[in-house]
C-alpha cells in the first residue's frame, strides 16, 4: 500500500467514525489534519505557508500589528476577532484565506512522501479553522488531481525538488506578471518551489505551477546541482585563519631516584651505608666498599 493510499484509508475511516481530533502524517513534509465530527477543518504542514503568512503577504496588516493582535487575544494563533474588529480584514476574506491554506497544505502533504499516520486527541483548538469542514475523501481527491495536472505539464516539477535559476535571455519585464517577477527575483538555484512560496507569501501549488510554466517559456532553467552558497569574508578582509597544529605531547618527567638519607648521629657516609642501616647483607656491603677492577 502506497503512502497516499494509507493516508486516504485512515482519513476515510475518520470520516465514517465522525472522528474529532488530529491525524498526524509522518513523512516529508508531513503535516497534521484537524478534524471535527469527521470533517477536516484545518491542515498544517511545514511544506506550505500558514494562513497568517498569506494574510501578511496581502499587505492588509503588518508584522507589528499582527504581534499586537496576538498579545491582545492572549496568545491565540489566529486572532480572527481582532482582525475583524480593528478593520484589518473582513470575515469573508478570512474565510477565503483559511480555505486556501487548508487546501494548499493538503496538496503539500500529498505531493510529498507519507510514511504513516497517527490518530490522536486534539492538542488544542485547530488553528485558523474553516467554518464548514471538508470531507476527507473529497479533500484528498482534489489534492491528487492538482498533483496529476502538475506532473502532466511539459516541464513538470515537484514542490521540493527542482531549484530553478533565471534563464540567460532577454525579455520585456513589463510583460511579466507580479508573481513571475517575484519568482525571478528570488530564484537563485538554491530555492525550491516550496521555498519560493514561503519567500513570496503565496500558495505552494500556485508557485509550483508558475515555475513549471516559466520553465516552458524559457524564463527559468534548472541546473544539475544546486549552486554553491557564497562565503562572505569578515569586514577586516582576513580570511579564515588556518588551524594551528596542536603542540607535541610533553614527555613524562622521570621520577627521581630516592637517595639514602643521612641519619642523625652518623659520623659519615660509611656509617650511613652500614648493612644494618640500609638493609643490605655484609657481602653486598663489602662489594660496594671494595670494588674490583676487571
Amino acid at each position: 500500500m502506497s503512502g497516499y493510499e494509507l493516508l486516504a484509508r485512515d482519513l476515510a475511516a475518520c470520516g465514517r467514525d465522525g472522528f474529532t481530533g488530529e491525524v498526524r502524517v509522518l513523512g516529508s513534509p508531513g503535516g497534521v489534519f484537524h478534524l471535527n465530527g469527521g470533517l477536516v477543518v484545518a491542515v498544517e504542514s511545514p511544506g506550505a505557508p500558514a494562513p497568517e503568512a498569506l494574510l501578511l503577504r496581502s499587505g492588509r496588516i503588518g508584522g507589528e500589528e499582527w504581534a499586537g493582535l496576538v498579545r491582545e487575544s492572549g496568545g491565540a494563533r489566529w486572532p480572527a476577532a481582532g482582525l475583524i474588529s480593528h478593520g484589518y480584514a473582513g470575515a469573508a476574506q478570512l474565510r477565503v484565506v483559511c480555505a486556501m491554506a487548508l487546501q494548499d497544505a493538503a496538496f503539500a502533504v500529498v505531493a510529498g512522501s507519507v510514511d504513516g499516520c497517527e490518530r490522536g486527541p486534539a492538542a488544542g483548538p485547530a488553528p485558523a479553522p474553516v467554518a464548514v469542514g471538508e470531507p476527507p475523501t473529497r479533500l484528498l481527491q482534489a489534492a491528487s488531481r492538482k498533483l496529476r495536472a502538475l506532473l502532466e505539464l511539459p516541464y513538470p516539477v515537484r514542490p521540493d525538488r527542482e531549484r530553478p535559476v533565471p534563464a540567460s535571455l532577454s525579455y520585456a519585464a513589463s510583460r511579466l506578471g507580479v508573481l513571475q517577477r517575484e519568482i525571478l527575483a528570488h530564484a537563485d538555484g538554491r530555492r525550491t518551489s516550496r521555498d519560493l512560496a514561503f519567500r513570496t507569501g503565496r500558495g505552494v501549488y500556485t508557485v509550483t505551477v508558475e515555475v513549471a510554466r516559466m520553465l516552458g517559456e524559457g524564463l527559468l532553467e534548472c541546473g544539475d546541482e544546486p549552486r554553491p552558497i557564497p562565503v562572505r569574508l569578515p569586514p577586516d578582509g582576513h580570511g579564515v585563519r588556518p588551524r594551528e597544529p596542536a603542540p607535541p605531547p610533553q614527555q613524562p618527567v622521570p621520577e627521581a631516584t630516592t637517595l639514602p638519607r643521612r641519619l642523625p648521629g652518623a659520623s659519615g657516609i660509611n656509617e650511613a651505608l652500614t648493612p644494618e642501616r640500609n638493609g643490605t647483607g655484609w657481602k653486598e656491603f663489602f662489594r660496594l666498599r671494595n670494588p674490583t677492577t676487571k
Side-chain angles (χ1 to χ4, degrees), residues 8-47:
R9 183 197 65 182
D10 289 355
L11 286 180
C14 292
R16 291 192 302 268
D17 300 340
F19 173 71
T20 297
E22 299 177 353
V23 175
R24 294 188 172 274
V25 182
L26 309 178
S28 177
V32 180
F33 286 74
H34 300 266
L35 291 94
N36 184 16
L39 300 177
V40 180
V41 295
V43 181
E44 295 179 278
S45 174

Side-chain angles (χ1 to χ4, degrees), residues 1-273:
M1 179 180 296
S2 65
Y4 174 80
E5 293 173 346
L6 177 64
L7 176 61
R9 183 197 65 182
D10 289 355
L11 286 180
C14 292
R16 291 192 302 268
D17 300 340
F19 173 71
T20 297
E22 299 177 353
V23 175
R24 294 188 172 274
V25 182
L26 309 178
S28 177
V32 180
F33 286 74
H34 300 266
L35 291 94
N36 184 16
L39 300 177
V40 180
V41 295
V43 181
E44 295 179 278
S45 174
E52 57 267 25
L54 301 179
L55 186 61
L56 289 170
R57 179 61 181 79
S58 67
R60 287 182 171 268
I61 182 174
E64 294 182 1
E65 291 82 3
W66 177 268
L69 289 179
V70 172
R71 290 192 299 268
E72 181 181 318
S73 63
R77 297 178 58 185
W78 183 247
L83 289 169
I84 297 174
S85 63
H86 288 276
Y88 293 121
Q93 183 185 15
L94 295 184
R95 287 195 296 268
V96 172
V97 171
C98 292
M100 290 174 55
L102 181 149
Q103 296 171 6
D104 199 47
F107 165 76
V109 173
V110 172
S113 61
V114 178
D115 300 331
C117 301
E118 297 177 353
R119 185 194 301 195
V130 296
V132 180
E134 290 277 354
T137 302
R138 188 173 68 184
L139 179 63
L140 289 186
Q141 288 175 349
S144 180
R145 285 195 300 268
K146 291 179 180 179
L147 181 60
R148 286 199 303 270
L150 178 63
L151 298 179
E152 289 174 359
L153 292 174
Y155 288 85
V157 296
R158 288 272 187 168
D160 58 346
R161 293 185 184 177
E162 290 79 9
R163 303 172 188 270
V165 296
S168 55
L169 53 82
S170 59
Y171 53 85
S174 59
R175 297 183 179 180
L176 300 179
V178 176
L179 179 56
Q180 290 179 328
R181 291 197 297 268
E182 292 180 349
I183 291 176
L184 288 174
H186 297 293
D188 57 359
R190 299 190 300 272
R191 296 188 176 102
T192 63
S193 297
R194 180 178 64 187
D195 300 329
L196 294 172
F198 279 93
R199 193 75 176 181
T200 60
R202 308 296 184 97
V204 65
Y205 173 70
T206 301
V207 172
T208 305
V209 170
E210 193 60 43
V211 167
R213 290 174 178 171
M214 295 175 70
L215 286 170
E217 296 173 1
L219 298 174
L220 294 175
E221 60 186 11
C222 289
D224 297 333
E225 297 181 357
R227 290 187 176 183
I229 300 176
V231 178
R232 296 182 178 179
L233 297 178
D236 56 5
H238 296 288
V240 180
R241 295 181 179 180
R243 180 180 297 179
E244 297 181 358
Q250 297 182 354
Q251 297 295 332
V253 180
E255 297 182 358
T257 305
T258 304
L259 299 176
R261 186 180 59 177
R262 183 175 181 181
L263 299 178
S267 58
I269 185 65
N270 294 340
E271 184 176 354
L273 295 178

